[in-house]
Every structure is written in structure tokens, then in C-alpha cells.
Amino acid sequence: MEPDSGKLIIRSADGERVEILRQRQYSIGRNPERDLHLDSPVVSSTHGRLDVGPQGVRIIDLGSTNGTYIGERRLAPNQPHPLVPGEEVRIGPFILVYVPPGVAYPAEAAPLPPAEVAEPPAAPAVAAEPPAAPAEMPPPVEVGVVASIPEEVPTAPPIEAAPSGVPPGALPPEALPGVAEEFPERLPSRYVAPPHGLDSRYLRYLPAIFQENEFLGRYLRIFETIWEPLEWRENHMNLYFDPRTCPPSFLPWLASWLDVALQPYWPESRSRRLIAAATELYRWRGTAYGLSRMIEVVTGITPKITEDPAQPFVFRVALTIPPGSDIDARLIDDLVRTHKPAHAGYILDIR
């Protein structure tokens, strides 16, 4: 088992999980067979890869459809990028955070001791205001003199210091009436890609005026969803010419290229093994090793081929079929008769 190279925290709307990095390499994608399975339609089947080594952990985007982001920057395809501890890597709706070895993950850290609850500070005693002095009695009014009572003059509120950048006497911008409430049609609107990735990457190839249309982004996403499997097929065309990875319907077609006879009742794994080894088998055809290798590839059983000097041009093929196997004598006889030298006879000994 590889040593612990740290942890990878994977966050999403469904919760959080922690992967301990013990392998040298991790595949990332929507396909359930990937090491780090990220189940989302905006994650490519083969999205990226993690390389774990002495130099640290590096992430590589393998030309995914929606990309891999660190902040607002999209990583270049097929270019390794070192993972910085604590840095958030976004893949679709998932957030990946690398925690190096020896650093405790927050969920695993020792709980802090309970803090002592301090008594709230007592409110400062407010000195009682001295009782107001009794108002002086107005001077007596002489008879015949009309006294005018002065009206109370309101005092202006104190002028607060204006914030920096605002001229004195001017109102700050937040005190102005909301333009959005009175004139919503005057506000500029710019399309921002939703966080769950429903926008289309095709928008990057259109003028800016079209990139601001949310409907167009969702509309182009339909075509991108249709073309993504076709693009993946073109980028990985070599997998269709490999008998180990091609679809089962391609096996007879590949066998016809090599003039290999497949039987319809054979299991798929047997047909794949035979096509993959066809080139090597043709090199040794007509020899004892070639015949032995042919039987071993098709049946998984290694036969014993011997020749008796008293019987020239006749050889013996002996093998033991394990109980419960689907291998029968007819299959062995067909293989020996088809791949033996034309001038030689044979004796089949099956136990």
C-alpha cells in the first residue's frame, strides 16, 4: 500500500466526503469506474486526473467539456497544476480541497475546550441629572404694557462628517433613492453563468452581445449535450480499434481484418483475447509453440504437445479440462485442425 499522501475533501450540495490519497494516480469523471466518481451531468466521463508523487499532488484537466477552475481561472487542458493546500478547485458543482499529510482536517481536529462564560460588563452608572432649577418667574407686567412671549426657535441637527470622497453637504450614494426600484429598465444586465454549469461553452465563440443572453446559453447547451459524445468519440477513436476496449459489435469487424474466425457461442472475453493476440499467433503458426499458444489464448488451458520419432508427421496434444468448464472436445479439435501444419496428423488426448 502506498503511504498516505494527504486527503482530498470533496464538497457538493449533497454533503462532504474525504478521500485518503494512497494511490499514485486517480482518475476523475462522471463514469462510475473512475477512482473519484463525481456524479453530475456537467462533469465529463473522463474529466481529469490526479498525480500523486514526491513533488506533491497535481491535477490535470483531460480536455473536459466544462473545464476545471481555480477561482475564476480555467486550467489549460493536459497541463499539470500543483494543488495548493486549502485552495478550492471547482469541477462542475463539486469543490475539491487538498489537505497535506500531517495537517488535521477541521472535522478531525481536537475540540476546543469550553470557553468560560464571562459575566457581561456592568453598565456604567449614569449619574442622575440634577433636578432642573425652577424657572424664574417672569417679571411683573405693568398695567398698560403688553409683554411679547418669544417663540421657541428650533435648533438645527448637528452636521455629521461626510465620508471620504463625498463633498461636504452632499448625500452619500446609499442615501439616494434606489434607481433599481424606480427605473429597473435602465440598469445594465450582464449574463453571468449559473454555478451549476447550465451555460454552454459555445458562447465563448460568439460576440459579447450574444454572450449576455441567458436563453441563448441554455439553448446552445442542448446542442453541446448532443455533440459531446460525438466529440469524445472523435478524440478517442483509437479505442474503437483496440479489441480490449472496442464495443462488442466491433469484434466481428476487427476479426475480419485479421482473418480470425470467431464462433457466435463464444463468450465476449474469449473473442477479445484471440483478436488481441492474433498478430503474435500468425508469427508462430505451423509450430508446436504456435499451436500451444493458440489453445491457451482461446481456452485458458496450456496443452502438452509431444512428437514420437517412431511416428513421423504425427503429434499428440494432451490436456485436462477442469470440471465445470465450458470448454469441450469439439472446440479443441477445431483449433488443432485449423492451425496445425497441413501435412501433419494429430492425436487428441483430452482428460
Side-chain angles (χ1 to χ4, degrees):
M1 179 181 296
E2 296 290 341
D4 183 3
S5 299
K7 302 179 181 65
L8 189 70
I9 307 172
I10 303 177
R11 302 188 181 120
S12 66
D14 298 333
E16 179 178 295
R17 73 178 193 264
V18 179
E19 297 285 345
I20 300 178
L21 304 179
R22 298 187 182 277
Q23 303 176 192
R24 308 300 294 178
Q25 193 176 88
Y26 287 83
S27 57
I28 306 173
R30 187 180 65 241
N31 193 321
E33 297 181 355
R34 301 293 172 254
D35 298 321
L36 299 179
H37 176 216
L38 304 182
D39 189 9
S40 174
V42 299
V43 179
S44 299
S45 177
T46 305
H47 196 101
R49 189 178 76 239
L50 279 183
D51 289 343
V52 182
Q55 73 280 3
V57 181
R58 299 184 300 175
I59 187 169
I60 304 174
D61 185 279
L62 300 179
S64 61
T65 300
N66 295 304
T68 303
Y69 292 84
I70 295 181
E72 298 298 328
R73 179 170 62 92
R74 179 170 181 169
L75 299 184
N78 302 311
Q79 297 295 324
H81 180 83
L83 288 184
V84 178
E87 188 176 53
E88 294 187 350
V89 179
R90 178 166 58 88
I91 298 180
F94 297 90
I95 299 296
L96 280 62
V97 180
Y98 171 62
V99 179
V103 177
Y105 171 55
E108 303 171 353
L112 296 177
E116 297 182 359
V117 180
E119 294 292 338
V126 179
E129 296 181 359
E136 298 181 357
M137 297 297 294
V141 181
E142 298 180 358
V143 178
V145 178
V146 179
S148 60
I149 302 175
E151 298 181 357
E152 183 180 356
V153 180
T155 58
I159 300 177
E160 299 180 356
S164 59
V166 180
L171 294 176
E174 57 269 13
L176 295 176
V179 180
E181 300 177 0
E182 297 187 8
F183 307 100
E185 68 278 359
R186 294 188 182 181
L187 292 178
S189 60
R190 179 171 180 81
Y191 170 63
V192 179
H196 48 279
L198 292 181
D199 62 321
S200 173
R201 61 173 179 170
Y202 293 168
L203 288 174
R204 302 200 305 263
Y205 304 100
L206 299 180
I209 188 174
F210 297 108
Q211 296 181 12
E212 300 174 356
N213 192 307
E214 180 181 1
F215 170 77
L216 185 58
R218 291 185 283 110
Y219 181 72
L220 292 178
R221 180 63 180 165
I222 300 175
F223 295 93
E224 185 177 352
T225 304
I226 297 174
W227 281 101
E228 180 183 358
L230 301 179
E231 292 179 2
W232 186 92
R233 181 179 300 175
E234 294 176 0
N235 295 336
H236 303 82
M237 185 60 66
N238 59 305
L239 299 180
Y240 289 84
F241 294 92
D242 191 335
R244 296 167 295 183
T245 57
C246 71
S249 58
F250 274 53
L251 292 175
W253 179 59
L254 293 179
S256 65
W257 282 23
L258 302 172
D259 195 23
V260 175
L262 302 180
Q263 300 300 328
Y265 59 87
W266 282 5
E268 179 183 332
S269 58
R270 183 180 301 170
S271 301
R272 291 184 184 274
R273 287 199 309 266
L274 180 57
I275 298 175
T279 305
E280 177 194 2
L281 294 174
Y282 275 124
R283 292 177 54 198
W284 298 96
R285 189 166 186 175
T287 64
Y289 172 79
L291 180 58
S292 175
R293 181 66 180 143
M294 172 63 71
I295 297 175
E296 183 180 359
V297 168
V298 175
T299 66
I301 304 173
T302 303
K304 182 178 181 181
I305 301 178
T306 57
E307 298 183 35
D308 187 359
Q311 293 181 326
F313 307 111
V314 176
F315 60 91
R316 178 184 296 270
V317 180
L319 71 163
T320 302
I321 300 178
S325 176
D326 60 342
I327 307 299
D328 55 6
R330 185 185 63 176
L331 174 60
I332 304 297
D333 185 70
D334 290 343
L335 292 175
V336 175
R337 186 174 61 254
T338 303
H339 298 279
K340 72 175 183 64
H343 65 281
Y346 65 94
I347 300 174
L348 192 58
D349 184 9
I350 299 178
R351 302 177 184 177

